[in-house]
Amino acid sequence: DGGITQSPKYLFRKEGQNVTLSCEQNLNHDAMYWYRQDPGQGLRLIYYSQIVNDFQKGDIAEGYSVSREKKESFPLTVTSAQKNPTAFYLCASSILNRNTIYFGEGSWLTVV
Amino acid sequence: SQQGEEDPQALSIQEGENATMNCSYKTSINNLQWYRQNSGRGLVHLILIRSNEREKHSGRLRVTLDTSKKSSSLLITASRAADTASYFCATGQAGANSKLTFGKGITLSVRP
């Protein structure tokens, strides 16, 4: 089946740790995105990439890092510099210059 | 920054009734989209309306766009319990490629 796969679904992070959320898509989309969702805050854009080996900061990039070494993959690392990382993280992709985006099922990150 | 503001924040209706949700935005847009999110899941695209369109239908969904008032409405007719979800409007700006800005969402509860 074509789609976007995020893993893991649930992840727990200790204080001071970096963690990486995986996002893989087999839709042959050029553009990929990471959003953060907090209760009552809607979705906020963390990073996006429109082409391999290139990415841009979104509205809340501080404390996060990404890479885009392959078209299919756009992993997000939540670094220890992100002071409040507990949230629901959504990966998405789209055809370049098309506004409709397709989402994965999300990953819950909790700091313990 | 949040572009779309949905109204109301929460809506509870009886099965069979119509549900109307509104979205207002601040700057010029290229298109406006509505997405649906079931609890703990990813978002699913429902419908897109372009800035030169006034109304669009898809099954039980009807979307209107008034660019002079910078507002849109989503009407779900003959609601079902399975329509219970959060609904988000998202705006795409001209020249911004595929980057969307989401509102905070409306929680719709449809009572059986």
Side-chain angles (χ1 to χ4, degrees), chain B residues 32-70:
Chain B
L32 186 143
Q33 303 177 42
W34 287 90
Y35 287 79
R36 167 195 167 123
Q37 182 182 35
N38 284 29
S39 182
R41 307 288 297 274
L43 278 72
V44 175
H45 178 256
L46 294 176
I47 195 164
L48 179 153
I49 187 165
R50 302 194 186 284
S51 59
N52 61 354
E53 297 175 312
R54 291 297 165 256
E55 186 171 315
K56 206 162 182 181
H57 297 253
S58 176
R60 292 185 296 114
L61 305 180
R62 174 179 167 252
V63 172
T64 61
L65 179 64
D66 187 335
T67 53
S68 67
K69 294 181 179 178
K70 291 187 168 59

Side-chain angles (χ1 to χ4, degrees), chain A residues 33 37 97-99 105, chain B residues 31 35 37 40-41 97-98:
Chain A
Y33 315 82
Q37 186 175 27
N97 296 328
R98 294 279 187 90
N99 272 130
E105 287 297 296
Chain B
N31 66 82
Y35 287 79
Q37 182 182 35
R41 307 288 297 274
N97 294 325
S98 298

Side-chain angles (χ1 to χ4, degrees), chain A residues 90-106:
Chain A
L90 288 156
C91 179
S93 70
S94 73
I95 296 171
L96 198 60
N97 296 328
R98 294 279 187 90
N99 272 130
T100 300
I101 62 177
Y102 299 85
F103 285 85
E105 287 297 296

